[in-house]
Amino acid sequence: MKETLAMMKSFFSDVWRYRKELKKQDGWIKQFAKKKGYSVNPHWMIYTNLKIWLIQSEKMFGKRYCPCFEPSGDPELDKKLICPCAFVKEETENNGTCHCTLFGRAGLSSAEFKKAESRLMEEYQGVALDIKNGALDTRGMPINGPRGLQVPDALHQTKRALSLMNGNLSRVIVSTQAEAGHLVLLGKSKGLDPTITSENGCFVVELAPTRRL
Ligand code: SF4
């Protein structure tokens, strides 16, 4: 309940903040779907959320990476993750929708989109976060087959943990330097002053409040 309320509050504040950019996202999404013969997710809330995540991804990384996967640090794979990604055709054909449920097979019904959204929500919200003593360990999540990347990724897990813990998350453990770098960007955007250390083959991001002079 607490998590849902926090998500709703953040969602509506983002809808207002990105109101102009949301219209721009709408333009290319509908054009692409028309050209390829896909349907677009008909549910306003998830559709708007996906557009918000695309906007935030572009602001954070300079490119419109998939709302569901942070860039991996491997340039070849990352090129494939730019939305519309290299997996959209195969996923809509095989599963009905792309991974994030933004695009669907032509004529996909509202109920089928809903089913795909439930699967997506389960992947991101159904999983228990590994939090101990104010530290989140993001490793060991299931791997998405076509991309070979964790679901949920370290960035989504950290955003969720920050919201659940009212910002009282002191450190995050990740597997790769790219993930650690993204958490530094995230921390800075929230007025924190994160630092990275390397420990036993993983990276630890300390999230500390910005020091005032
Ligand atoms: S899975 Fe869907 S939303 Fe994600 S990048 Fe691919 S086409 Fe875009």
Side-chain angles (χ1 to χ4, degrees):
M1 185 64 181
K2 196 176 145 206
E3 187 174 1
T4 310
L5 280 176
M7 275 169 52
M8 295 300 281
K9 201 174 152 201
S10 149
F11 170 72
F12 283 108
S13 106
D14 286 342
V15 169
W16 178 250
R17 181 181 313 145
Y18 300 128
R19 58 196 180 282
K20 286 191 187 134
E21 287 125 304
L22 283 167
K23 280 192 190 144
K24 273 195 213 159
Q25 295 293 329
D26 227 21
W28 80 258
I29 289 170
K30 293 197 170 142
Q31 217 174 9
F32 174 76
K34 193 171 168 198
K35 189 171 154 206
K36 297 287 180 182
Y38 295 142
S39 48
V40 174
N41 194 311
H43 304 131
W44 179 78
M45 196 151 212
I46 181 124
Y47 179 55
T48 306
N49 246 328
L50 289 166
K51 288 189 292 179
I52 289 171
W53 292 329
L54 285 169
I55 293 164
Q56 290 176 335
S57 173
E58 200 161 9
K59 285 187 190 296
M60 193 167 193
F61 303 117
K63 291 201 171 89
R64 196 175 61 209
Y65 287 111
C66 180
C68 297
F69 296 93
E70 63 185 304
S72 65
D74 168 356
E76 277 309 300
L77 175 56
D78 291 347
K79 224 188 285 171
K80 294 183 184 169
L81 294 178
I82 295 171
C83 188
C85 68
F87 310 97
V88 62
K89 186 170 185 286
E90 182 191 335
E91 287 180 336
T92 48
E93 279 172 11
N94 294 344
N95 311 329
T97 69
C98 68
H99 178 271
C100 310
T101 77
L102 179 59
F103 299 107
R105 212 186 286 134
L108 199 75
S109 69
S110 169
E112 286 168 305
F113 266 107
K114 265 270 168 286
K115 203 168 153 199
E117 289 161 28
S118 302
R119 183 263 311 147
L120 187 69
M121 287 304 125
E122 189 53 32
E123 270 183 5
Y124 286 83
Q125 303 293 327
V127 67
L129 295 177
D130 184 359
I131 303 175
K132 285 184 202 89
N133 303 322
L136 167 70
D137 190 343
T138 62
R139 300 168 298 169
M141 288 291 166
I143 299 294
N144 170 268
R147 296 162 182 82
L149 296 173
Q150 282 206 129
V151 187
D153 60 23
L155 192 59
H156 280 88
Q157 291 183 60
T158 306
K159 284 182 181 171
R160 191 173 155 217
L162 281 168
S163 137
L164 279 174
M165 297 173 73
N166 275 331
N168 292 321
L169 182 68
S170 57
R171 56 196 333 236
V172 183
I173 303 161
V174 296
S175 306
T176 69
Q177 192 151 18
E179 291 170 322
H182 302 158
L183 295 189
V184 169
L185 291 177
L186 176 71
K188 285 191 173 161
S189 77
K190 294 186 178 295
L192 303 172
D193 187 14
T195 54
I196 305 174
T197 50
S198 166
E199 264 177 35
N200 306 323
C202 62
F203 296 87
V204 179
V205 182
E206 299 281 351
L207 299 167
T210 303
R211 286 180 288 277
R212 299 197 185 281
L213 296 173

